[in-house]
């Protein structure tokens, strides 16, 4: 039987007015964006943690500490590139990725195709094996009040 490994990643960021909104490596026009040391790409952070978790590797925060000045304003695509190097060193590849983004703002529907394509590129997987859904929080909690955004990602490696 093929040796398959599953990983889970979750990330949550505050949404702040005037911050750039980069999600899954796609710059989205929005009045708010995720607050963070890096570019705040909550989707890529969760995806990297899912991939690293499946490979049995250290997590994002251990590989790229927030207090390291090198990570200030950093493009999260670089985290993906490093994670993929480590995954390949273990003889693994990404087989599929499924993403749920809980957000009231921005709405993701117009950006889904671009986000899936970028995830596929960053994790070297067929776009057909990447999915991404946006879910509203129905006006409840910090997400529902447009104060936060959360991504949950499951990745299958083999
Ligand atoms: Mg993060």
């Amino acid at each position: 039987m093929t040796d398959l490994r599953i990983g889970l990643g979750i990330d949550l960021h505050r949404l702040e007015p005037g911050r750039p909104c980069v999600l899954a490596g796609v710059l989205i026009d929005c009045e708010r964006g995720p607050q963070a040391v890096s570019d705040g790409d909550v989707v890529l952070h969760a995806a990297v943690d899912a991939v690293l978790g499946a490979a049995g590797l250290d997590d994002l925060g251990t590989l790229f500490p927030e207090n390291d000045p090198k990570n200030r304003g950093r493009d999260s695509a670089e985290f993906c590139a490093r994670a993929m190097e480590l995954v390949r060193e273990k003889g693994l590849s990404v087989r599929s990725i499924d993403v749920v983004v809980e957000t009231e703002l921005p709405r993701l529907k117009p950006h889904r195709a671009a986000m899936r394509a970028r995830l596929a590129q960053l994790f070297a997987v067929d776009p057909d094996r990447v999915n991404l859904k946006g879910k509203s929080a129905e006006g409840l909690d910090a997400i529902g009040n447009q104060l936060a955004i959360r991504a949950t990602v499951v990745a299958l490696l083999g």
Side-chain angles (χ1 to χ4, degrees), residues 47-67:
V48 166
D49 263 345
V51 166
L52 292 171
L57 294 160
D58 281 339
D59 71 353
L60 180 74
T62 306
L63 291 177
F64 303 101
E66 286 198 334
N67 56 11

Side-chain angles (χ1 to χ4, degrees), residues 115-150:
M115 292 167 78
R116 287 176 68 184
R118 184 67 176 137
L119 282 165
Q121 185 183 38
L122 291 168
F123 292 99
V125 62
D126 193 295
D128 186 49
R129 290 170 174 260
V130 177
N131 212 336
L132 185 141
K133 299 160 283 272
K135 305 294 277 188
S136 155
E138 303 289 343
L140 298 167
D141 71 28
I143 294 170
N145 284 296
Q146 306 182 353
L147 298 174
I149 182 168
R150 176 165 49 220

Side-chain angles (χ1 to χ4, degrees), residues 7-151:
L8 173 67
I10 298 178
D11 197 23
L12 177 131
H13 282 246
R14 285 176 190 275
L15 282 176
E16 300 277 355
R19 283 271 308 180
C21 187
V22 181
L23 297 173
V26 175
L27 180 62
I28 292 173
D29 186 25
C30 184
E31 67 199 59
R32 288 171 180 265
Q35 179 61 47
V37 171
S38 70
D39 66 0
D41 193 328
V42 67
V43 175
L44 292 189
H45 296 179
V48 166
D49 263 345
V51 166
L52 292 171
L57 294 160
D58 281 339
D59 71 353
L60 180 74
T62 306
L63 291 177
F64 303 101
E66 286 198 334
N67 56 11
D68 184 340
K70 271 197 314 230
N71 296 326
R72 209 160 285 156
R74 197 157 172 190
D75 179 352
S76 295
E78 294 174 26
F79 303 150
C80 300
R82 179 63 186 140
M84 288 303 292
E85 271 177 15
L86 295 169
V87 159
R88 289 190 182 105
E89 279 171 18
K90 293 198 90 172
L92 295 167
S93 60
V94 176
R95 302 294 185 91
S96 72
I97 294 177
D98 196 16
V99 181
V100 175
V101 186
E102 291 164 86
T103 180
E104 212 71 17
L105 192 78
R107 293 292 180 169
L108 299 184
K109 206 168 177 190
H111 310 288
R112 273 186 72 222
M115 292 167 78
R116 287 176 68 184
R118 184 67 176 137
L119 282 165
Q121 185 183 38
L122 291 168
F123 292 99
V125 62
D126 193 295
D128 186 49
R129 290 170 174 260
V130 177
N131 212 336
L132 185 141
K133 299 160 283 272
K135 305 294 277 188
S136 155
E138 303 289 343
L140 298 167
D141 71 28
I143 294 170
N145 284 296
Q146 306 182 353
L147 298 174
I149 182 168
R150 176 165 49 220

